[in-house]
Amino acid sequence: MTSPSTAQRMDPTTPRPGWVELSVGLAIMALIAFVLAPQLSRLGMSGPTTGIVGGVVSGGGGLLAFAAAALVRRRSWEAFGVRRTTVRWLLIGLAAGLVAFAARVVAVYLVTLIIDVETDTQASYAAGAGAGLVSLALMMLTLAVLTPIGEEFLFRGVVTSALLRYGALVGVVGSAVVFALMHGVNEVLPAAVIVGLIAAELYRRSGSIWPGVLMHALYNAITLALLALAASAA
């Protein structure tokens, strides 16, 4: 027996987020991602500092965009999937993080064999992860805690919730594509599609954003840990 979808679990008296919330949230996130974030390189910060600040911007930007979307019509937080879940779903979320990372390795390798894409988009994250234990800890806090929370609140809580009214395919695939495009057209794109698809499906089936948050957090933590190992071995 399959788990109930978000639509089935949601109280029918709780209105689902719609196009207004989706538009407001994505407009603010796009402003942060494509206008504010690129300006960080002009501040003269070191690579590690740029990586840490970038994590704060991505996670904080997601939370800011979510807050703006949620305040449009002041819906219950449960309408955005911010609800308790079971230990079973949290464990599934952690397992999905391992699956997402393995799939990412294969997908990125295949894409870079076929298409010439920008490959230094996460150079500041690599610099931050390899700059010592304090820098790595700060990177983990921003990119493996804050960023997953902020992005899952926005892209699953708002975007997936709004698109699921058109069915599972549109809700899951549509929100994953939007999530990926917000990361830009570069080597991160296939990985972002994979993370988006898995997180959206976790949300659809569990009715809660928290399994996706754990999946996303573990995925980012593994990535940072490997970047740190690579830097120490260099």
Side-chain angles (χ1 to χ4, degrees):
M1 182 175 179
T2 59
S3 301
S5 67
T6 303
Q8 292 170 320
R9 291 176 61 90
M10 188 180 293
D11 185 338
T13 63
T14 302
R16 184 193 299 274
W19 282 100
V20 174
E21 289 90 344
L22 184 150
S23 299
V24 169
L26 289 183
I28 292 176
M29 193 64 201
L31 183 66
I32 293 170
F34 300 122
V35 178
L36 175 61
Q39 303 308 311
L40 294 177
S41 61
R42 299 185 178 183
L43 298 180
M45 296 183 292
S46 65
T49 302
T50 301
I52 294 167
V53 173
V56 173
V57 170
S58 64
L63 288 175
L64 179 63
F66 168 77
L71 288 172
V72 169
R73 287 187 277 197
R74 296 183 178 272
R75 301 190 187 283
S76 163
W77 278 43
E78 287 201 352
F80 301 95
V82 186
R83 57 167 66 85
R84 291 181 296 179
T85 189
T86 64
V87 172
R88 173 176 173 270
W89 272 112
L90 293 179
L91 292 175
I92 290 173
L94 288 174
L98 297 175
V99 173
F101 186 81
R104 169 262 178 113
V105 172
V106 175
V108 171
Y109 175 73
L110 291 176
V111 168
T112 53
L113 283 179
I114 300 170
I115 306 172
D116 183 20
V117 294
E118 186 178 358
T119 57
D120 63 347
T121 56
Q122 295 185 309
S124 62
Y125 295 157
L133 289 178
V134 173
S135 179
L136 177 60
L138 290 173
M139 292 292 292
M140 285 288 184
L141 183 62
T142 57
L143 286 169
V145 178
L146 179 61
T147 292
I149 291 174
E151 291 187 342
E152 292 306 311
F153 269 58
L154 174 63
F155 291 102
R156 257 51 73 182
V158 177
V159 180
T160 304
S161 291
L163 294 181
L164 277 174
R165 70 177 67 238
Y166 304 108
L169 183 63
V170 173
V172 172
V173 177
S175 63
V177 170
V178 171
F179 173 71
L181 290 176
M182 278 291 181
H183 287 76
V185 181
N186 48 54
E187 67 168 352
V188 177
L189 186 67
V193 170
I194 290 169
V195 170
L197 287 172
I198 294 175
E201 184 63 8
L202 286 171
Y203 174 55
R204 185 182 76 85
R205 289 181 175 272
S206 71
S208 171
I209 65 168
W210 298 117
V213 168
L214 276 185
M215 181 277 297
H216 198 157
L218 180 58
Y219 172 91
N220 282 6
I222 293 173
T223 301
L224 287 172
L226 290 179
L227 289 173
L229 287 174
S232 65

